[in-house]
C-alpha cells in the first residue's frame, strides 16, 4: 500500500470514529455555517413594528399589552380583529403565543378590568390567556398611524380599489359609473359580508365613494361627508342618532347621497389580514398567521 492510499484510509477511519466532531473542528466547517432560526421576544417584535410608525412610541395610547410579558420568547404570531375565546383556542392549537389584535380584549376601549373582577366571562378569558402564557397586544392607534394606514391599505387591497383612490382625498374612491346596489354587492362579495344596512336608494347612480372603515364617530363622519361631497358613504358603524339621521335629512333636502353601514368588524378585518404579509418578512423564522374573529351577529 502506497503512502497516498494509506493516508486516505487513515482519514476515512478517523472520520467514521470521530463523527461530527471532526467536521466541527475542521477549518471552514464550523457551527457558524449551520443555519439557525431567528428568535424574538414579544418586546422585540413590538419595537420592530414601532420603528415603522411615525412618532412612535406615543405618550398616550390604548396599544398596550393586555396579557403576557414583553420578555417571553415568541413561538408564533396571530393577527386578528378581536381576541375572542375562539381565537385564543385556535392560537393555542397552532402553537403560537402572541396575539396582535386591533380591538379591545376586555369589552371596553381602555381594557379596564376592575369592574369585571368577579365576572365569570372575564375570568374564563383571563385564565385561558394566563394558563397558556399568551401575550396580547392591541394594535389600533399605531396601525392607523402607519403610512399608509394599515387598515385602509388592507381594505383597499381586498376590495381591489387601490388604483381608485382620489389623489386629492385619500378617503375618497373614484369608481366608474355604477349604482349603490352594485357597490354593495361588490363589498359584500370581497369582504365576506352577509348583510348591510342602507339609508338611501340602491338604484342611485354613484362614482364618488367615501370609505370610512371602523367607527370614526358621527361628528367625524359628517365632517368628512361635507368635505368630500360623496355619492355614497361606506362606513363601519354609526350611531343611529348621528350619521344615519344626517343622511336622511340630506336626502330630504334634495341631495343625492346614500349611506351603507358595513359593520365595524368586517369593515376593518382585511387590514389585520394584510398585517400578515407586511410583518412576516420582518420576523424570519417566526410564523405569522391571520385568524378571523368573524362577525358575532346572525340575521333573522
Amino acid at each position: 500500500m502506497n503512502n497516498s492510499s494509506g493516508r486516505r484510509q487513515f482519514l476515512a477511519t478517523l472520520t467514521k470514529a470521530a463523527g461530527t466532531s471532526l467536521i466541527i473542528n475542521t477549518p471552514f466547517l464550523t457551527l457558524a455555517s449551520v443555519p439557525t432560526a431567528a428568535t424574538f421576544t414579544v418586546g422585540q417584535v413590538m419595537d420592530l413594528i414601532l420603528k415603522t410608525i411615525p412618532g412612535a412610541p406615543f405618550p398616550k395610547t390604548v396599544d398596550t399589552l393586555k396579557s403576557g410579558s414583553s420578555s417571553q420568547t415568541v413561538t408564533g404570531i396571530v393577527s386578528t380583529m378581536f381576541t375572542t375565546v375562539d381565537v385564543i383556542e385556535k392560537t393555542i392549537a397552532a402553537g403560537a403565543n402572541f396575539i396582535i389584535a386591533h380591538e379591545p380584549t376586555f369589552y371596553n376601549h381602555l381594557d379596564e378590568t376592575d369592574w369585571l373582577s368577579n365576572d365569570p366571562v372575564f375570568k374564563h378569558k383571563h385564565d385561558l390567556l394566563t394558563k397558556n402564557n399568551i401575550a396580547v397586544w392591541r394594535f389600533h392607534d399605531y396601525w392607523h398611524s402607519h403610512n399608509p394606514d394599515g387598515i385602509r391599505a388592507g381594505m383597499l387591497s381586498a376590495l381591489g380599489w387601490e388604483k381608485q383612490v382620489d389623489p386629492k382625498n385619500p378617503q375618497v374612491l373614484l369608481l366608474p359609473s355604477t349604482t349603490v346596489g352594485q357597490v354593495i354587492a361588490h363589498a359584500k362579495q370581497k369582504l365576506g359580508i352577509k348583510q348591510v344596512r342602507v339609508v338611501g336608494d340602491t338604484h342611485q347612480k354613484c362614482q364618488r365613494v367615501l370609505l370610512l372603515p371602523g367607527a370614526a364617530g358621527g361628528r367625524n363622519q359628517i365632517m368628512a361627508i361635507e368635505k368630500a361631497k360623496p355619492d355614497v358613504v361606506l362606513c363601519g358603524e354609526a350611531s343611529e342618532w348621528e350619521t344615519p339621521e344626517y343622511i336622511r335629512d340630506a336626502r330630504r333636502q334634495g341631495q343625492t347621497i346614500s349611506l351603507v353601514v358595513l359593520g365595524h368588524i368586517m369593515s376593518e378585518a382585511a387590514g389585520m389580514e394584510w398585517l400578515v404579509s407586511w410583518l412576516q418578512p420582518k420576523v424570519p423564522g417566526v410564523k405569522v398567521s391571520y385568524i378571523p374573529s368573524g362577525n358575532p351577529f346572525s340575521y333573522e
Side-chain angles (χ1 to χ4, degrees):
M1 179 171 64
N2 60 36
N3 290 339
S4 177
S5 61
R7 187 179 297 109
R8 284 197 300 270
Q9 183 176 350
F10 170 77
L11 288 174
T13 303
L14 181 61
T15 301
K16 184 176 180 180
T20 55
S21 64
L22 177 65
I23 298 175
I24 292 172
N25 293 310
T26 301
F28 312 115
L29 289 175
T30 64
L31 283 175
S33 66
V34 180
T36 57
T39 59
F40 297 86
T41 65
V42 166
Q44 287 172 333
V45 174
M46 291 169 64
D47 289 342
L48 182 153
I49 291 173
L50 293 184
K51 288 178 181 178
T52 72
I53 310 297
F58 300 160
K60 185 177 181 181
T61 178
V62 295
D63 292 0
T64 58
L65 277 177
K66 311 305 178 183
S67 70
S69 167
S70 62
S71 62
Q72 69 190 70
T73 299
V74 175
T75 61
I77 300 172
V78 166
S79 172
T80 192
M81 272 293 289
F82 280 90
T83 307
T84 64
V85 170
D86 179 62
V87 168
I88 297 168
E89 291 171 344
K90 288 177 178 176
T91 298
I92 295 166
N97 69 343
F98 185 18
I99 298 174
I100 300 178
H102 191 58
E103 299 295 5
T105 298
F106 298 118
Y107 323 117
N108 65 100
H109 184 57
L110 298 179
D111 279 300
E112 295 170 332
T113 60
D114 290 349
W115 63 290
L116 292 167
S117 58
N118 295 316
D119 184 274
V121 176
F122 160 74
K123 290 179 69 175
H124 175 71
K125 177 183 277 191
H126 179 269
D127 291 349
L128 187 63
L129 290 168
T130 302
K131 178 182 176 181
N132 292 280
N133 197 34
I134 305 294
V136 177
W137 181 37
R138 187 174 180 190
F139 192 46
H140 180 276
D141 298 350
Y142 289 125
W143 201 212
H144 280 302
S145 298
H146 182 268
N147 188 17
D149 179 316
I151 294 296
R152 180 169 292 274
M155 292 300 294
L156 291 176
S157 177
L159 289 163
W161 286 347
E162 303 99 317
K163 296 181 180 180
Q164 310 302 133
V165 178
D166 183 351
K168 297 179 181 178
N169 185 340
Q171 292 184 316
V172 174
L173 305 165
L174 304 177
L175 304 183
S177 183
T178 185
T179 67
V180 171
Q182 288 171 324
V183 169
I184 291 172
H186 179 81
K188 289 171 69 175
Q189 191 270 322
K190 294 294 185 180
L191 303 178
I193 297 174
K194 295 180 180 179
Q195 192 172 45
V196 299
R197 304 172 76 187
V198 182
V199 179
D201 178 8
T202 57
H203 296 95
Q204 174 202 315
K205 294 289 185 181
C206 64
Q207 285 185 286
R208 292 180 63 81
V209 177
L210 179 61
L211 181 62
L212 299 174
R219 182 173 297 189
N220 289 331
Q221 290 173 339
I222 292 168
M223 290 173 64
I225 291 167
E226 175 58 24
K227 177 183 178 182
K229 301 292 192 295
D231 302 316
V232 61
V233 182
L234 298 185
C235 75
E237 67 174 274
S239 297
E240 293 185 4
W241 65 90
E242 296 177 332
T243 308
E245 285 302 312
Y246 177 85
I247 295 296
R248 178 154 63 169
D249 284 347
R251 290 182 58 79
R252 185 68 175 177
Q253 182 193 33
Q255 293 189 35
T256 305
I257 185 172
S258 294
L259 172 70
V260 179
V261 182
L262 302 172
H264 190 138
I265 296 173
M266 303 312 292
S267 78
E268 293 193 305
M272 293 308 289
E273 186 170 7
W274 190 73
L275 173 67
V276 174
S277 60
W278 178 85
L279 179 58
Q280 184 63 83
K282 298 174 173 55
V283 287
V286 176
K287 184 178 180 181
V288 184
S289 306
Y290 173 70
I291 297 179
S293 55
N295 181 359
F297 297 101
S298 59
Y299 303 92
E300 302 298 332

